[in-house]
């Protein structure tokens, strides 16, 4: 029986989505990230309440944990692609779905389907907590500004997850992939920003910052949210494309 291309793609997407949904580590990572974000939101809110809260925005304080929150989504992306290499499950996957390029593309799409609502809920929870605790003291913001910021935060976390999944597919081992990505986001990038002022806004993490936080008018080489989104998407597409190319050419 000949299966149409659209039906084949839909079946592969459903299979990849089922694998991710039934993977316990995915939900443990998301739950742990949610809890850690609330703890960080509480900490930043407490600092805001003790300091000059009147000059701070609820949005700025609520999204202050994003720099740490991204670690959970980096782990999420790596788990999504590296988990199949544990115990050799990838061989079963390729025996069932021989179309490698389509299979990995659908895995990234399935991961995005899971990540978007999770990222929005987790990012919004920090802002909501801050609002509940500081609504009488902190500077208020417009609803449309908050929606844009949460959409940007959701987009950034989703792109970070997909980029991490691509790196995981390239390296194929969980621990080395974690070392590379967490080392870049939390060590290499912060340490090199002062030495690469001209290029720092074009790093994926720095560009992603402008997706959810309005740029400062007194900062050099500042990006708009759309520019930050474009640069972050470009980095993600480059690594996803590279992952697909290498995935098709090498052995499992």
């Amino acid at each position: 029986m000949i299966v149409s291309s659209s039906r084949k793609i839909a079946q592969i997407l459903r299979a990849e989505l089922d694998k991710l949904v039934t993977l316990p580590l995915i939900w443990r990572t998301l739950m742990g990230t949610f809890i850690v974000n609330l703890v960080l939101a509480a900490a930043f809110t407490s600092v805001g309440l003790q300091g000059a809260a009147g000059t701070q925005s609820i949005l700025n304080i609520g999204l202050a944990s994003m720099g740490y929150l991204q670690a959970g989504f980096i782990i999420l992306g790596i788990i999504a692609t590296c988990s199949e290499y544990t115990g050799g499950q990838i061989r079963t996957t390729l025996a069932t779905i021989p179309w490698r390029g389509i299979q990995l593309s659908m895995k990234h799409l399935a991961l995005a389907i899971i990540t978007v609502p999770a990222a929005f809920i987790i990012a919004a929870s920090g802002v909501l907590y801050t609002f509940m605790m500081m609504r009488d003291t902190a500077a208020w913001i417009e609803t449309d500004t908050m929606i844009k910021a949460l959409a940007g935060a959701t987009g950034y976390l989703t792109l970070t997850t997909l980029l991490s999944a691509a790196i995981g597919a390239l390296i194929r081992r969980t621990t080395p992939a974690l070392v590379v990505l967490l080392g870049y986001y939390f060590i290499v990038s912060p340490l090199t920003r002062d030495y690469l002022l001209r290029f720092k806004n074009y790093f994926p993490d720095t560009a992603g910052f402008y997706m959810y936080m309005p740029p400062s008018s007194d900062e050099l080489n500042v990006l708009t949210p759309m520019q930050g989104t474009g640069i972050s998407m470009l980095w993600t597409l480059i690594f996803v494309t590279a992952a697909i190319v290498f995935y098709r050419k090498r052995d499992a």
Side-chain angles (χ1 to χ4, degrees), residues 39-56 61 64 129-130 133-134 137:
V39 172
L40 290 172
F44 285 116
T45 301
S46 177
V47 172
L49 287 171
Q50 295 174 10
T55 64
Q56 300 181 61
I61 298 173
Y129 177 87
T130 303
M133 300 300 295
M134 303 186 67
T137 58

Side-chain angles (χ1 to χ4, degrees), residues 9-10 28 69 76 115 186 189 213:
I9 292 174
R28 290 173 189 170
L69 179 60
L76 177 67
T115 304
F186 292 95
S189 180
M213 283 295 188

Side-chain angles (χ1 to χ4, degrees), residues 146-221:
M146 180 178 293
I147 292 174
K148 290 178 181 178
L150 289 176
T154 301
Y156 171 67
L157 292 174
T158 301
L159 291 174
T160 300
T161 304
L162 297 179
L163 186 150
S164 302
I167 297 295
L170 286 168
I171 298 177
R172 300 188 293 182
R173 296 294 180 268
T174 302
T175 301
L178 283 173
V179 170
V180 169
L181 281 168
L182 294 179
Y184 165 75
Y185 277 89
F186 292 95
I187 300 176
V188 176
S189 180
L191 290 178
T192 57
R193 285 174 189 168
D194 292 337
Y195 302 98
L196 300 172
L197 294 177
R198 183 176 299 180
F199 306 103
K200 70 173 186 176
N201 289 323
Y202 300 98
F203 293 169
D205 53 329
T206 309
F209 171 83
Y210 294 107
M211 292 176 64
Y212 58 90
M213 283 295 188
S216 174
S217 58
D218 60 353
E219 186 174 347
L220 296 177
N221 301 319

Side-chain angles (χ1 to χ4, degrees), residues 7-8 38 102 113 127-128 132 155 157 163 181:
R7 184 178 179 184
K8 177 176 68 176
L38 285 182
I102 297 176
I113 292 173
V127 176
L128 179 61
M132 292 173 60
L157 292 174
L163 186 150
L181 281 168

